Amino acid sequence: MLLSSHIEMMSCLSFYCHTSNLPVQNQWEKLPSNHPGLYFERAGLDSHEVQWTISSNRAVFPPVKRWLFCSFYHTIKENILNLTYPPGMVLTEAMLTKELEMSRSPVRTAIQMLQVEGLIVSDYYKSMTVKEITDKDINEIYQLRELLEGAAFRQIFTSRRYEEYSYRIEEKVVRMCAAAGDLYEWEIADTAMHMEIISIFDNDRINRIYENNLSELIRIGQYSIRNGMRIPRTNDNLKKMISYMRKGNYEKAFEILKNDHFGTGRNTALKMH
């Protein structure tokens, strides 16, 4: 699994660091991004020594000196994911520059990255908005989750690894309980729990499907909570699911997953419109 301290995932973007004080063979080194907000660390390097080049399969951006724009990218993206910048909100370079107290160049680069990811969209007149979430988006996301997680949950039992996975899932649920007072952090922990379920496949392609939809999963999940899905009840039901898993009771365990996380989650998210 591609899980780290906040959530086990990997961005679809590749990040590389170049610094002249490294041996030639080590001058370019891939740096993984381990959180939807994308924190970056490189032990032993000072920020003034680093230049970043950002690339994806759709765009290549010019290098930006230092790593300041990474902080702006993280801030803007997290504000989108935690709904500080809600779907449909109009964004401008001037507004973001003022809010982040920085020049337009690094802010513009951060915006370009988020446009590549599809979180910021531009129209014909070049106005920018946070990507809307439609009923179609919600239904497609939950259809995807039910197909993949339903199959994964069955495999956990048919492979007779249900006791092992009960403890692995329990670890994620403990994090969910600890984050119960913070909607965004709870949703991050909840997403990690769902990714633990699909880890039974040991399939990088399936992992990437989830990673590519991670931003939508997190935003839609928060609307489920805002519109009636209760965190304490959900946490308690997950504890019951774990108990049924330890007993080898697939039907009872899956019933909780299906009702809470596929049924109630979808229905309450659809109330946002």
Side-chain angles (χ1 to χ4, degrees):
M1 281 295 294
L2 303 172
L3 301 172
S4 76
S5 60
H6 250 327
I7 189 169
E8 289 91 351
M9 60 162 275
M10 200 93 175
S11 170
C12 58
L13 296 177
S14 295
F15 293 84
Y16 293 86
C17 168
H18 176 266
T19 178
S20 58
N21 66 351
L22 291 177
V24 173
Q25 65 270 25
N26 293 325
Q27 283 189 357
W28 290 93
E29 182 171 337
K30 186 173 182 180
L31 298 180
S33 52
N34 298 314
H35 181 271
L38 296 178
Y39 295 104
F40 301 95
E41 288 185 85
R42 173 65 177 131
L45 293 180
D46 295 324
S47 60
H48 70 273
E49 297 174 315
V50 176
Q51 289 185 321
W52 296 91
T53 297
I54 306 93
S55 66
S56 75
N57 60 356
R58 284 182 285 178
V60 177
F61 301 110
V64 178
K65 291 182 179 180
R66 304 176 185 259
W67 57 275
L68 290 175
F69 81 87
C70 295
S71 174
F72 305 146
Y73 168 83
H74 159 69
T75 300
I76 297 169
K77 183 166 185 176
E78 187 158 276
N79 283 344
I80 292 172
L81 295 184
N82 66 23
L83 306 181
T84 298
Y85 301 159
M89 178 178 175
V90 176
L91 301 175
T92 65
E93 281 187 15
M95 179 270 284
L96 293 172
T97 298
K98 182 178 180 180
E99 186 172 308
L100 298 172
E101 299 181 341
M102 185 46 60
S103 64
R104 290 198 176 195
S105 178
V107 171
R108 185 176 297 120
T109 303
I111 290 170
Q112 288 175 317
M113 292 169 65
L114 293 166
Q115 286 174 323
V116 167
E117 293 184 49
L119 287 174
I120 294 177
V121 295
S122 301
D123 62 17
Y124 179 78
Y125 300 100
K126 296 185 179 180
S127 64
M128 297 182 298
T129 58
V130 177
K131 184 182 181 297
E132 295 273 13
I133 297 174
T134 67
D135 286 355
K136 186 172 186 291
D137 293 328
I138 294 169
N139 283 318
E140 287 180 351
I141 285 290
Y142 276 94
Q143 184 180 34
L144 175 69
R145 290 181 69 169
E146 189 163 2
L147 284 171
L148 292 180
E149 292 179 38
F153 209 73
R154 283 194 299 275
Q155 187 165 323
I156 286 171
F157 280 81
T158 57
S159 64
R160 305 194 65 80
R161 296 177 66 185
Y162 47 84
E163 184 174 10
E164 171 198 342
Y165 267 82
S166 74
Y167 288 102
R168 291 172 64 163
I169 292 170
E170 184 176 46
E171 180 184 342
K172 310 306 178 190
V173 173
V174 167
R175 296 182 190 179
M176 292 169 68
C177 293
D182 186 316
L183 174 58
Y184 174 61
E185 292 298 327
W186 184 87
E187 190 58 42
I188 294 290
D190 176 66
T191 305
M193 186 274 294
H194 287 282
M195 292 188 74
E196 191 65 56
I197 292 173
I198 66 165
S199 73
I200 185 70
F201 290 133
D202 193 21
N203 187 314
D204 289 340
R205 287 175 174 81
I206 290 176
N207 289 344
R208 285 197 293 272
I209 290 172
Y210 258 58
E211 291 155 19
N212 290 339
N213 291 281
L214 197 62
S215 296
E216 296 299 82
L217 285 166
I218 292 169
R219 293 202 296 162
I220 289 170
Q222 288 172 89
Y223 277 109
S224 294
I225 302 301
R226 289 187 176 190
N227 295 332
M229 188 173 178
R230 303 301 179 197
I231 287 178
R233 179 183 174 185
T234 301
N235 288 345
D236 286 344
N237 283 344
L238 284 171
K239 293 174 185 177
K240 293 176 184 177
M241 183 188 80
I242 291 166
S243 177
Y244 285 127
M245 290 181 72
R246 296 220 172 112
K247 297 174 183 176
N249 192 329
Y250 165 76
E251 289 77 14
K252 290 288 188 180
F254 183 68
E255 182 180 7
I256 291 172
L257 181 68
K258 182 177 180 180
N259 289 343
D260 270 19
H261 291 263
F262 303 150
T264 302
R266 183 203 305 259
N267 294 336
T268 50
L270 287 169
K271 291 180 182 179
M272 67 180 285
H273 295 120

